[in-house]
Amino acid sequence: MNNSIQKIGVIGLGAMGMGIAQSLIRAGISTYGFDINVKACEQLKQIGATGVADNATQWASELDVLLLVVVNGVQIENILFGGEKPLVKKLKAGTSVIVHSTISAEQAQDFAIRLQQYQINMLDAPISGGALKAVQGQLTVMVSGSSELFEEMKPIFDVIAERLYYVGNEIGQGSMVKMIHQLLAGVHIAVAAESMAFAAKANIPLDLMYDIVTHAAGNSWMFENRVPHILAGDYTPKSSVDIFVKDLGIVLEAGKTMKFPLPMAATAHQMFLAASNEGFGQWDDSAVVKTFKGITLPEKKL
């Protein structure tokens, strides 16, 4: 580990942030965790965090690096620039901010320009891999920004990532790669739900259908990972329906700006919107299957 990096703060201790923070602690790095969820803070404290709090204000001036693992750009805006005493004014000059959240390329560029006014450097570094990979330190990270800063932060990325990609020196390129990835992920979940709903309508045993597809050419990572939630009738969220309402919304907004058609993304987005509208927004994203009528799906065993 680079000796100049003494203290790292992680803002957002959801499934991904908690895993990242745990990986840093395991590597012997002085790690601070921040979240409005008191239980998450307490859990990280037990694991070995140097400090935890509901916000980063009290530790801000001590941190060398700040990782943002929150849900969206609105949260980043509020955390960094919101309130009467914004966090940017408390961070010391030279602090590095790494944004792991899925945001638009324009948002990433905007944050980087505004942080630079405070002599704070930023890398646009969206992540993929899910909660389990986060805990194992095996995420995929797509980084854009200054190549010098990337090299400086590489020891941190090596702790949290199995696959690390440097996309380019222009902030926003990492976010664009993540958006294209989310297009695929969202469409794959939506079509997995459609295919299993169709199987249910045709009275094909769903576990048999799952077994066949996962050993044949129609399989995808998302099919293999999400369909078991449908088979178990368990929609406890690992990643929620509303996450894909947001992410595919970002994808379509980028397409609109570039005047580029994205018909599959648009259809999948409508499916997630329908699921959210029916009250499944906070359920696991596989609950998009619930929008299909006239079928019987497995119920969770009590």
Side-chain angles (χ1 to χ4, degrees):
M1 173 51 74
N2 183 335
N3 291 331
S4 67
I5 299 168
Q6 280 91 31
K7 295 177 181 176
I8 300 182
V10 179
I11 298 185
L13 300 177
M16 303 294 273
M18 180 64 81
I20 287 171
Q22 286 181 37
S23 297
L24 295 169
I25 290 166
R26 268 203 314 274
I29 298 161
S30 184
T31 305
Y32 298 73
F34 309 106
D35 200 292
I36 53 173
N37 183 334
V38 179
K39 280 187 181 169
C41 288
E42 195 47 48
Q43 187 187 336
L44 195 67
K45 186 76 176 147
Q46 299 289 328
I47 293 166
T50 309
V52 295
D54 61 358
N55 69 73
T57 309
Q58 69 185 98
W59 305 105
S61 61
E62 294 183 34
L63 300 174
D64 300 296
V65 183
L66 192 61
L67 311 185
L68 290 167
V69 203
V70 295
V71 172
N72 55 33
V74 173
Q75 290 186 356
I76 295 172
E77 177 72 36
N78 290 338
I79 288 162
L80 291 177
F81 305 105
E84 290 177 14
K85 296 179 180 175
L87 187 60
V88 283
K89 292 189 174 176
K90 297 191 178 301
L91 295 168
K92 63 190 177 199
T95 304
S96 299
V97 169
I98 300 175
V99 176
H100 289 310
S101 310
T102 300
I103 57 176
S104 72
E106 289 81 8
Q107 281 177 312
Q109 289 157 2
D110 177 57
F111 290 141
I113 290 164
R114 288 156 69 197
L115 285 169
Q116 199 61 59
Q117 293 165 2
Y118 295 89
Q119 281 76 55
I120 296 168
N121 304 311
M122 182 189 126
L123 287 176
D124 167 36
I127 51 179
S128 183
L132 188 61
K133 292 272 192 187
V135 173
Q136 294 167 339
Q138 295 179 338
L139 289 169
T140 296
V141 186
M142 304 146 248
V143 188
S144 65
S146 149
S147 57
E148 293 81 11
L149 187 57
F150 172 72
E151 287 302 325
E152 199 182 316
M153 295 296 116
K154 201 164 175 295
I156 297 171
F157 293 131
D158 288 341
V159 168
I160 68 170
E162 179 180 39
R163 295 190 180 277
L164 177 62
Y165 296 97
Y166 180 62
V167 183
N169 62 6
E170 189 184 316
I171 292 275
Q173 290 174 308
S175 284
M176 185 56 79
V177 167
K178 172 69 192 245
M179 267 192 274
I180 295 165
H181 172 273
Q182 290 308 84
L183 185 164
L184 280 166
V187 167
H188 283 175
I189 293 167
V191 80
E194 181 176 302
S195 64
M196 294 309 280
F198 195 27
K201 183 68 177 176
N203 294 318
I204 306 293
L206 297 190
D207 51 354
L208 173 70
M209 195 72 233
Y210 176 74
D211 195 36
I212 291 168
V213 172
T214 53
H215 292 93
N219 193 26
S220 70
W221 191 95
M222 279 301 190
F223 185 96
E224 196 162 326
N225 185 269
R226 296 304 204 269
V227 172
H229 304 173
I230 298 170
L231 299 179
D234 186 352
Y235 300 96
T236 307
K238 302 284 193 292
S239 170
S240 72
V241 163
D242 279 348
I243 294 276
F244 275 98
V245 170
K246 170 188 75 90
D247 287 3
L248 288 174
I250 294 172
V251 168
L252 292 171
E253 199 57 44
K256 193 165 81 173
T257 302
M258 295 159 74
K259 294 187 170 59
F260 192 82
L262 300 168
M264 302 295 282
T267 300
H269 189 233
Q270 288 296 316
M271 289 170 68
F272 285 108
L273 277 172
S276 187
N277 179 55
E278 289 187 34
F280 306 121
Q282 295 307 304
W283 293 35
D284 187 79
D285 50 33
S286 58
V288 71
V289 75
K290 293 270 190 185
T291 60
F292 291 93
K293 306 298 177 244
I295 58 169
T296 304
L297 292 167
E299 296 286 339
K300 187 175 181 179
K301 293 179 178 68
L302 298 171

mmCIF file of all heavy atoms in Angstrom, residues 206-248:
data_model
loop_
_atom_site.group_PDB
_atom_site.id
_atom_site.type_symbol
_atom_site.label_atom_id
_atom_site.label_comp_id
_atom_site.label_asym_id
_atom_site.label_seq_id
_atom_site.Cartn_x
_atom_site.Cartn_y
_atom_site.Cartn_z
ATOM 1 N N LEU A 206 -40.603 -24.420 -13.667
ATOM 2 C CA LEU A 206 -39.624 -23.329 -13.770
ATOM 3 C C LEU A 206 -38.214 -23.771 -13.385
ATOM 4 O O LEU A 206 -37.236 -23.288 -13.962
ATOM 5 C CB LEU A 206 -40.077 -22.135 -12.915
ATOM 6 C CG LEU A 206 -41.397 -21.477 -13.332
ATOM 7 C CD1 LEU A 206 -41.603 -20.178 -12.562
ATOM 8 C CD2 LEU A 206 -41.461 -21.212 -14.836
ATOM 9 N N ASP A 207 -38.109 -24.686 -12.426
ATOM 10 C CA ASP A 207 -36.757 -25.137 -12.053
ATOM 11 C C ASP A 207 -36.128 -25.946 -13.187
ATOM 12 O O ASP A 207 -34.915 -25.878 -13.423
ATOM 13 C CB ASP A 207 -36.751 -25.923 -10.734
ATOM 14 C CG ASP A 207 -37.781 -27.043 -10.694
ATOM 15 O OD1 ASP A 207 -38.587 -27.155 -11.649
ATOM 16 O OD2 ASP A 207 -37.777 -27.802 -9.717
ATOM 17 N N LEU A 208 -36.964 -26.699 -13.935
ATOM 18 C CA LEU A 208 -36.474 -27.429 -15.104
ATOM 19 C C LEU A 208 -36.010 -26.441 -16.180
ATOM 20 O O LEU A 208 -34.931 -26.596 -16.760
ATOM 21 C CB LEU A 208 -37.584 -28.333 -15.662
ATOM 22 C CG LEU A 208 -37.277 -29.037 -16.994
ATOM 23 C CD1 LEU A 208 -36.214 -30.108 -16.786
ATOM 24 C CD2 LEU A 208 -38.534 -29.637 -17.598
ATOM 25 N N MET A 209 -36.817 -25.409 -16.416
ATOM 26 C CA MET A 209 -36.471 -24.392 -17.413
ATOM 27 C C MET A 209 -35.138 -23.731 -17.046
ATOM 28 O O MET A 209 -34.264 -23.530 -17.911
ATOM 29 C CB MET A 209 -37.585 -23.331 -17.468
ATOM 30 C CG MET A 209 -37.533 -22.424 -18.685
ATOM 31 S SD MET A 209 -38.008 -23.273 -20.203
ATOM 32 C CE MET A 209 -36.609 -22.899 -21.246
ATOM 33 N N TYR A 210 -34.990 -23.417 -15.774
ATOM 34 C CA TYR A 210 -33.750 -22.786 -15.292
ATOM 35 C C TYR A 210 -32.555 -23.700 -15.546
ATOM 36 O O TYR A 210 -31.508 -23.261 -16.039
ATOM 37 C CB TYR A 210 -33.867 -22.461 -13.803
ATOM 38 C CG TYR A 210 -32.607 -21.884 -13.196
ATOM 39 C CD1 TYR A 210 -32.228 -20.567 -13.458
ATOM 40 C CD2 TYR A 210 -31.778 -22.657 -12.384
ATOM 41 C CE1 TYR A 210 -31.065 -20.025 -12.919
ATOM 42 C CE2 TYR A 210 -30.610 -22.128 -11.843
ATOM 43 C CZ TYR A 210 -30.261 -20.815 -12.115
ATOM 44 O OH TYR A 210 -29.102 -20.293 -11.581
ATOM 45 N N ASP A 211 -32.714 -24.981 -15.231
ATOM 46 C CA ASP A 211 -31.619 -25.941 -15.389
ATOM 47 C C ASP A 211 -31.203 -26.062 -16.858
ATOM 48 O O ASP A 211 -30.011 -26.081 -17.183
ATOM 49 C CB ASP A 211 -32.053 -27.312 -14.834
ATOM 50 C CG ASP A 211 -30.848 -28.238 -14.637
ATOM 51 O OD1 ASP A 211 -29.773 -27.741 -14.255
ATOM 52 O OD2 ASP A 211 -30.998 -29.452 -14.875
ATOM 53 N N ILE A 212 -32.192 -26.099 -17.719
ATOM 54 C CA ILE A 212 -31.895 -26.219 -19.158
ATOM 55 C C ILE A 212 -31.175 -24.981 -19.674
ATOM 56 O O ILE A 212 -30.121 -25.080 -20.327
ATOM 57 C CB ILE A 212 -33.196 -26.477 -19.960
ATOM 58 C CG1 ILE A 212 -33.735 -27.878 -19.633
ATOM 59 C CG2 ILE A 212 -32.951 -26.331 -21.463
ATOM 60 C CD1 ILE A 212 -35.141 -28.133 -20.125
ATOM 61 N N VAL A 213 -31.731 -23.803 -19.374
ATOM 62 C CA VAL A 213 -31.137 -22.562 -19.903
ATOM 63 C C VAL A 213 -29.710 -22.362 -19.388
ATOM 64 O O VAL A 213 -28.824 -21.950 -20.144
ATOM 65 C CB VAL A 213 -32.022 -21.337 -19.549
ATOM 66 C CG1 VAL A 213 -31.303 -20.030 -19.928
ATOM 67 C CG2 VAL A 213 -33.354 -21.413 -20.272
ATOM 68 N N THR A 214 -29.479 -22.670 -18.114
ATOM 69 C CA THR A 214 -28.134 -22.437 -17.549
ATOM 70 C C THR A 214 -27.097 -23.435 -18.069
ATOM 71 O O THR A 214 -25.912 -23.292 -17.807
ATOM 72 C CB THR A 214 -28.156 -22.469 -16.004
ATOM 73 O OG1 THR A 214 -28.778 -23.676 -15.561
ATOM 74 C CG2 THR A 214 -28.904 -21.272 -15.438
ATOM 75 N N HIS A 215 -27.560 -24.450 -18.822
ATOM 76 C CA HIS A 215 -26.617 -25.374 -19.465
ATOM 77 C C HIS A 215 -26.725 -25.297 -20.986
ATOM 78 O O HIS A 215 -26.363 -26.244 -21.691
ATOM 79 C CB HIS A 215 -26.871 -26.812 -18.978
ATOM 80 C CG HIS A 215 -26.520 -26.990 -17.535
ATOM 81 N ND1 HIS A 215 -27.442 -26.835 -16.520
ATOM 82 C CD2 HIS A 215 -25.335 -27.269 -16.928
ATOM 83 C CE1 HIS A 215 -26.845 -27.030 -15.347
ATOM 84 N NE2 HIS A 215 -25.568 -27.287 -15.573
ATOM 85 N N ALA A 216 -27.240 -24.171 -21.469
ATOM 86 C CA ALA A 216 -27.428 -24.022 -22.916
ATOM 87 C C ALA A 216 -27.070 -22.603 -23.351
ATOM 88 O O ALA A 216 -26.683 -21.766 -22.530
ATOM 89 C CB ALA A 216 -28.876 -24.367 -23.278
ATOM 90 N N ALA A 217 -27.232 -22.338 -24.638
ATOM 91 C CA ALA A 217 -26.712 -21.103 -25.224
ATOM 92 C C ALA A 217 -27.497 -19.850 -24.839
ATOM 93 O O ALA A 217 -26.998 -18.736 -24.993
ATOM 94 C CB ALA A 217 -26.682 -21.240 -26.748
ATOM 95 N N GLY A 218 -28.723 -20.017 -24.337
ATOM 96 C CA GLY A 218 -29.531 -18.844 -23.987
ATOM 97 C C GLY A 218 -29.188 -18.235 -22.641
ATOM 98 O O GLY A 218 -29.770 -17.222 -22.244
ATOM 99 N N ASN A 219 -28.229 -18.832 -21.934
ATOM 100 C CA ASN A 219 -27.900 -18.372 -20.578
ATOM 101 C C ASN A 219 -27.216 -17.007 -20.594
ATOM 102 O O ASN A 219 -26.600 -16.610 -21.579
ATOM 103 C CB ASN A 219 -26.976 -19.392 -19.909
ATOM 104 C CG ASN A 219 -26.852 -19.165 -18.413
ATOM 105 O OD1 ASN A 219 -27.748 -18.617 -17.781
ATOM 106 N ND2 ASN A 219 -25.747 -19.587 -17.840
ATOM 107 N N SER A 220 -27.362 -16.285 -19.494
ATOM 108 C CA SER A 220 -26.596 -15.056 -19.268
ATOM 109 C C SER A 220 -26.264 -15.012 -17.778
ATOM 110 O O SER A 220 -26.898 -15.704 -16.975
ATOM 111 C CB SER A 220 -27.408 -13.815 -19.652
ATOM 112 O OG SER A 220 -28.472 -13.606 -18.731
ATOM 113 N N TRP A 221 -25.311 -14.172 -17.417
ATOM 114 C CA TRP A 221 -24.951 -14.046 -15.990
ATOM 115 C C TRP A 221 -26.171 -13.616 -15.181
ATOM 116 O O TRP A 221 -26.426 -14.133 -14.102
ATOM 117 C CB TRP A 221 -23.815 -13.034 -15.820
ATOM 118 C CG TRP A 221 -23.219 -13.054 -14.445
ATOM 119 C CD1 TRP A 221 -22.111 -13.753 -14.045
ATOM 120 C CD2 TRP A 221 -23.694 -12.353 -13.277
ATOM 121 N NE1 TRP A 221 -21.879 -13.533 -12.704
ATOM 122 C CE2 TRP A 221 -22.831 -12.678 -12.209
ATOM 123 C CE3 TRP A 221 -24.762 -11.488 -13.036
ATOM 124 C CZ2 TRP A 221 -22.991 -12.168 -10.917
ATOM 125 C CZ3 TRP A 221 -24.933 -10.988 -11.748
ATOM 126 C CH2 TRP A 221 -24.060 -11.327 -10.708
ATOM 127 N N MET A 222 -26.926 -12.655 -15.711
ATOM 128 C CA MET A 222 -28.100 -12.150 -15.001
ATOM 129 C C MET A 222 -29.191 -13.220 -14.889
ATOM 130 O O MET A 222 -29.850 -13.326 -13.860
ATOM 131 C CB MET A 222 -28.652 -10.891 -15.681
ATOM 132 C CG MET A 222 -27.898 -9.626 -15.314
ATOM 133 S SD MET A 222 -27.928 -9.300 -13.532
ATOM 134 C CE MET A 222 -27.243 -7.654 -13.490
ATOM 135 N N PHE A 223 -29.400 -13.992 -15.939
ATOM 136 C CA PHE A 223 -30.381 -15.075 -15.870
ATOM 137 C C PHE A 223 -29.994 -16.039 -14.749
ATOM 138 O O PHE A 223 -30.813 -16.382 -13.897
ATOM 139 C CB PHE A 223 -30.451 -15.827 -17.218
ATOM 140 C CG PHE A 223 -31.518 -16.888 -17.267
ATOM 141 C CD1 PHE A 223 -32.761 -16.618 -17.823
ATOM 142 C CD2 PHE A 223 -31.287 -18.165 -16.749
ATOM 143 C CE1 PHE A 223 -33.757 -17.595 -17.856
ATOM 144 C CE2 PHE A 223 -32.271 -19.141 -16.773
ATOM 145 C CZ PHE A 223 -33.517 -18.854 -17.331
ATOM 146 N N GLU A 224 -28.742 -16.455 -14.761
ATOM 147 C CA GLU A 224 -28.257 -17.430 -13.771
ATOM 148 C C GLU A 224 -28.348 -16.884 -12.350
ATOM 149 O O GLU A 224 -28.672 -17.603 -11.413
ATOM 150 C CB GLU A 224 -26.813 -17.803 -14.116
ATOM 151 C CG GLU A 224 -26.338 -19.052 -13.413
ATOM 152 C CD GLU A 224 -25.109 -19.663 -14.063
ATOM 153 O OE1 GLU A 224 -24.956 -19.587 -15.308
ATOM 154 O OE2 GLU A 224 -24.294 -20.217 -13.312
ATOM 155 N N ASN A 225 -28.090 -15.573 -12.197
ATOM 156 C CA ASN A 225 -28.052 -14.961 -10.871
ATOM 157 C C ASN A 225 -29.431 -14.582 -10.348
ATOM 158 O O ASN A 225 -29.709 -14.712 -9.158
ATOM 159 C CB ASN A 225 -27.143 -13.729 -10.913
ATOM 160 C CG ASN A 225 -26.954 -13.115 -9.546
ATOM 161 O OD1 ASN A 225 -27.702 -12.224 -9.147
ATOM 162 N ND2 ASN A 225 -25.975 -13.601 -8.804
ATOM 163 N N ARG A 226 -30.313 -14.102 -11.220
ATOM 164 C CA ARG A 226 -31.594 -13.540 -10.756
ATOM 165 C C ARG A 226 -32.757 -14.531 -10.751
ATOM 166 O O ARG A 226 -33.657 -14.427 -9.916
ATOM 167 C CB ARG A 226 -31.992 -12.327 -11.608
ATOM 168 C CG ARG A 226 -31.036 -11.136 -11.522
ATOM 169 C CD ARG A 226 -30.819 -10.656 -10.088
ATOM 170 N NE ARG A 226 -30.417 -9.264 -10.044
ATOM 171 C CZ ARG A 226 -29.154 -8.822 -10.051
ATOM 172 N NH1 ARG A 226 -28.158 -9.692 -10.083
ATOM 173 N NH2 ARG A 226 -28.892 -7.525 -10.013
ATOM 174 N N VAL A 227 -32.777 -15.465 -11.691
ATOM 175 C CA VAL A 227 -33.919 -16.386 -11.760
ATOM 176 C C VAL A 227 -34.095 -17.198 -10.468
ATOM 177 O O VAL A 227 -35.232 -17.453 -10.058
ATOM 178 C CB VAL A 227 -33.842 -17.277 -13.025
ATOM 179 C CG1 VAL A 227 -34.917 -18.374 -12.992
ATOM 180 C CG2 VAL A 227 -34.024 -16.417 -14.278
ATOM 181 N N PRO A 228 -33.007 -17.584 -9.754
ATOM 182 C CA PRO A 228 -33.224 -18.263 -8.468
ATOM 183 C C PRO A 228 -34.083 -17.461 -7.486
ATOM 184 O O PRO A 228 -34.793 -18.057 -6.662
ATOM 185 C CB PRO A 228 -31.800 -18.456 -7.927
ATOM 186 C CG PRO A 228 -30.967 -18.589 -9.160
ATOM 187 C CD PRO A 228 -31.575 -17.621 -10.140
ATOM 188 N N HIS A 229 -34.052 -16.123 -7.564
ATOM 189 C CA HIS A 229 -34.922 -15.309 -6.711
ATOM 190 C C HIS A 229 -36.388 -15.566 -7.060
ATOM 191 O O HIS A 229 -37.245 -15.643 -6.184
ATOM 192 C CB HIS A 229 -34.624 -13.809 -6.882
ATOM 193 C CG HIS A 229 -33.198 -13.430 -6.621
ATOM 194 N ND1 HIS A 229 -32.710 -12.159 -6.856
ATOM 195 C CD2 HIS A 229 -32.138 -14.142 -6.152
ATOM 196 C CE1 HIS A 229 -31.425 -12.116 -6.548
ATOM 197 N NE2 HIS A 229 -31.057 -13.309 -6.137
ATOM 198 N N ILE A 230 -36.651 -15.707 -8.361
ATOM 199 C CA ILE A 230 -38.018 -15.986 -8.826
ATOM 200 C C ILE A 230 -38.430 -17.390 -8.386
ATOM 201 O O ILE A 230 -39.542 -17.608 -7.897
ATOM 202 C CB ILE A 230 -38.108 -15.838 -10.367
ATOM 203 C CG1 ILE A 230 -37.787 -14.398 -10.791
ATOM 204 C CG2 ILE A 230 -39.487 -16.258 -10.881
ATOM 205 C CD1 ILE A 230 -37.615 -14.199 -12.298
ATOM 206 N N LEU A 231 -37.509 -18.358 -8.543
ATOM 207 C CA LEU A 231 -37.804 -19.757 -8.163
ATOM 208 C C LEU A 231 -38.102 -19.876 -6.676
ATOM 209 O O LEU A 231 -38.944 -20.672 -6.257
ATOM 210 C CB LEU A 231 -36.626 -20.671 -8.527
ATOM 211 C CG LEU A 231 -36.242 -20.759 -10.008
ATOM 212 C CD1 LEU A 231 -35.050 -21.676 -10.184
ATOM 213 C CD2 LEU A 231 -37.416 -21.238 -10.853
ATOM 214 N N ALA A 232 -37.411 -19.058 -5.874
ATOM 215 C CA ALA A 232 -37.604 -19.096 -4.414
ATOM 216 C C ALA A 232 -38.771 -18.207 -3.976
ATOM 217 O O ALA A 232 -39.177 -18.242 -2.808
ATOM 218 C CB ALA A 232 -36.319 -18.660 -3.710
ATOM 219 N N GLY A 233 -39.297 -17.406 -4.917
ATOM 220 C CA GLY A 233 -40.347 -16.448 -4.552
ATOM 221 C C GLY A 233 -39.852 -15.450 -3.525
ATOM 222 O O GLY A 233 -40.620 -14.882 -2.747
ATOM 223 N N ASP A 234 -38.536 -15.211 -3.528
ATOM 224 C CA ASP A 234 -37.914 -14.332 -2.523
ATOM 225 C C ASP A 234 -37.351 -13.095 -3.226
ATOM 226 O O ASP A 234 -36.358 -13.181 -3.946
ATOM 227 C CB ASP A 234 -36.801 -15.080 -1.789
ATOM 228 C CG ASP A 234 -36.204 -14.276 -0.640
ATOM 229 O OD1 ASP A 234 -36.548 -13.074 -0.495
ATOM 230 O OD2 ASP A 234 -35.387 -14.832 0.116
ATOM 231 N N TYR A 235 -37.997 -11.959 -3.003
ATOM 232 C CA TYR A 235 -37.604 -10.722 -3.685
ATOM 233 C C TYR A 235 -36.941 -9.739 -2.718
ATOM 234 O O TYR A 235 -37.037 -8.528 -2.891
ATOM 235 C CB TYR A 235 -38.821 -10.110 -4.385
ATOM 236 C CG TYR A 235 -39.412 -11.058 -5.415
ATOM 237 C CD1 TYR A 235 -40.482 -11.888 -5.099
ATOM 238 C CD2 TYR A 235 -38.854 -11.155 -6.680
ATOM 239 C CE1 TYR A 235 -41.000 -12.787 -6.036
ATOM 240 C CE2 TYR A 235 -39.363 -12.045 -7.624
ATOM 241 C CZ TYR A 235 -40.435 -12.852 -7.295
ATOM 242 O OH TYR A 235 -40.936 -13.744 -8.224
ATOM 243 N N THR A 236 -36.264 -10.294 -1.708
ATOM 244 C CA THR A 236 -35.454 -9.456 -0.814
ATOM 245 C C THR A 236 -34.407 -8.758 -1.680
ATOM 246 O O THR A 236 -33.653 -9.427 -2.393
ATOM 247 C CB THR A 236 -34.743 -10.318 0.254
ATOM 248 O OG1 THR A 236 -35.723 -11.115 0.917
ATOM 249 C CG2 THR A 236 -34.016 -9.448 1.265
ATOM 250 N N PRO A 237 -34.355 -7.430 -1.637
ATOM 251 C CA PRO A 237 -33.533 -6.737 -2.642
ATOM 252 C C PRO A 237 -32.031 -6.898 -2.452
ATOM 253 O O PRO A 237 -31.492 -6.646 -1.390
ATOM 254 C CB PRO A 237 -33.939 -5.269 -2.458
ATOM 255 C CG PRO A 237 -34.459 -5.180 -1.067
ATOM 256 C CD PRO A 237 -35.062 -6.513 -0.749
ATOM 257 N N LYS A 238 -31.367 -7.388 -3.507
ATOM 258 C CA LYS A 238 -29.906 -7.295 -3.618
ATOM 259 C C LYS A 238 -29.622 -6.020 -4.413
ATOM 260 O O LYS A 238 -28.746 -5.251 -4.096
ATOM 261 C CB LYS A 238 -29.348 -8.520 -4.339
ATOM 262 C CG LYS A 238 -29.682 -9.858 -3.689
ATOM 263 C CD LYS A 238 -28.846 -10.122 -2.450
ATOM 264 C CE LYS A 238 -28.950 -11.563 -1.985
ATOM 265 N NZ LYS A 238 -30.277 -11.930 -1.470
ATOM 266 N N SER A 239 -30.406 -5.856 -5.471
ATOM 267 C CA SER A 239 -30.413 -4.618 -6.260
ATOM 268 C C SER A 239 -31.877 -4.410 -6.632
ATOM 269 O O SER A 239 -32.518 -5.329 -7.129
ATOM 270 C CB SER A 239 -29.560 -4.786 -7.513
ATOM 271 O OG SER A 239 -29.738 -3.692 -8.395
ATOM 272 N N SER A 240 -32.408 -3.225 -6.384
ATOM 273 C CA SER A 240 -33.860 -3.038 -6.481
ATOM 274 C C SER A 240 -34.332 -2.659 -7.877
ATOM 275 O O SER A 240 -33.551 -2.187 -8.717
ATOM 276 C CB SER A 240 -34.316 -1.969 -5.483
ATOM 277 O OG SER A 240 -33.886 -0.692 -5.920
ATOM 278 N N VAL A 241 -35.631 -2.856 -8.105
ATOM 279 C CA VAL A 241 -36.291 -2.438 -9.348
ATOM 280 C C VAL A 241 -35.990 -0.972 -9.636
ATOM 281 O O VAL A 241 -35.644 -0.598 -10.772
ATOM 282 C CB VAL A 241 -37.826 -2.672 -9.233
ATOM 283 C CG1 VAL A 241 -38.582 -1.881 -10.308
ATOM 284 C CG2 VAL A 241 -38.147 -4.160 -9.344
ATOM 285 N N ASP A 242 -36.089 -0.124 -8.608
ATOM 286 C CA ASP A 242 -35.898 1.316 -8.818
ATOM 287 C C ASP A 242 -34.475 1.687 -9.209
ATOM 288 O O ASP A 242 -34.255 2.752 -9.804
ATOM 289 C CB ASP A 242 -36.343 2.105 -7.580
ATOM 290 C CG ASP A 242 -37.853 2.312 -7.541
ATOM 291 O OD1 ASP A 242 -38.513 2.059 -8.572
ATOM 292 O OD2 ASP A 242 -38.374 2.711 -6.479
ATOM 293 N N ILE A 243 -33.500 0.831 -8.893
ATOM 294 C CA ILE A 243 -32.123 1.077 -9.356
ATOM 295 C C ILE A 243 -32.100 1.055 -10.884
ATOM 296 O O ILE A 243 -31.461 1.883 -11.534
ATOM 297 C CB ILE A 243 -31.139 0.012 -8.796
ATOM 298 C CG1 ILE A 243 -31.005 0.133 -7.278
ATOM 299 C CG2 ILE A 243 -29.785 0.095 -9.498
ATOM 300 C CD1 ILE A 243 -30.021 1.148 -6.774
ATOM 301 N N PHE A 244 -32.835 0.092 -11.473
ATOM 302 C CA PHE A 244 -32.846 0.013 -12.937
ATOM 303 C C PHE A 244 -33.765 1.044 -13.576
ATOM 304 O O PHE A 244 -33.546 1.438 -14.725
ATOM 305 C CB PHE A 244 -33.132 -1.414 -13.417
ATOM 306 C CG PHE A 244 -31.868 -2.230 -13.469
ATOM 307 C CD1 PHE A 244 -31.525 -3.080 -12.431
ATOM 308 C CD2 PHE A 244 -30.989 -2.077 -14.520
ATOM 309 C CE1 PHE A 244 -30.329 -3.789 -12.461
ATOM 310 C CE2 PHE A 244 -29.793 -2.781 -14.561
ATOM 311 C CZ PHE A 244 -29.454 -3.635 -13.535
ATOM 312 N N VAL A 245 -34.786 1.501 -12.831
ATOM 313 C CA VAL A 245 -35.558 2.653 -13.317
ATOM 314 C C VAL A 245 -34.589 3.827 -13.493
ATOM 315 O O VAL A 245 -34.599 4.526 -14.512
ATOM 316 C CB VAL A 245 -36.695 3.022 -12.339
ATOM 317 C CG1 VAL A 245 -37.332 4.356 -12.721
ATOM 318 C CG2 VAL A 245 -37.768 1.922 -12.316
ATOM 319 N N LYS A 246 -33.716 4.013 -12.490
ATOM 320 C CA LYS A 246 -32.734 5.111 -12.537
ATOM 321 C C LYS A 246 -31.679 4.876 -13.623
ATOM 322 O O LYS A 246 -31.448 5.734 -14.482
ATOM 323 C CB LYS A 246 -32.033 5.250 -11.182
ATOM 324 C CG LYS A 246 -30.823 6.202 -11.196
ATOM 325 C CD LYS A 246 -30.036 6.188 -9.900
ATOM 326 C CE LYS A 246 -29.178 4.978 -9.698
ATOM 327 N NZ LYS A 246 -27.794 5.099 -10.229
ATOM 328 N N ASP A 247 -31.020 3.694 -13.586
ATOM 329 C CA ASP A 247 -29.872 3.459 -14.462
ATOM 330 C C ASP A 247 -30.264 3.438 -15.931
ATOM 331 O O ASP A 247 -29.573 4.031 -16.777
ATOM 332 C CB ASP A 247 -29.168 2.150 -14.086
ATOM 333 C CG ASP A 247 -28.380 2.268 -12.779
ATOM 334 O OD1 ASP A 247 -28.436 3.338 -12.154
ATOM 335 O OD2 ASP A 247 -27.709 1.291 -12.397
ATOM 336 N N LEU A 248 -31.368 2.764 -16.266
ATOM 337 C CA LEU A 248 -31.799 2.755 -17.663
ATOM 338 C C LEU A 248 -32.308 4.135 -18.082
ATOM 339 O O LEU A 248 -32.218 4.511 -19.246
ATOM 340 C CB LEU A 248 -32.867 1.682 -17.905
ATOM 341 C CG LEU A 248 -32.346 0.236 -17.875
ATOM 342 C CD1 LEU A 248 -33.486 -0.760 -17.974
ATOM 343 C CD2 LEU A 248 -31.332 -0.016 -18.993
#
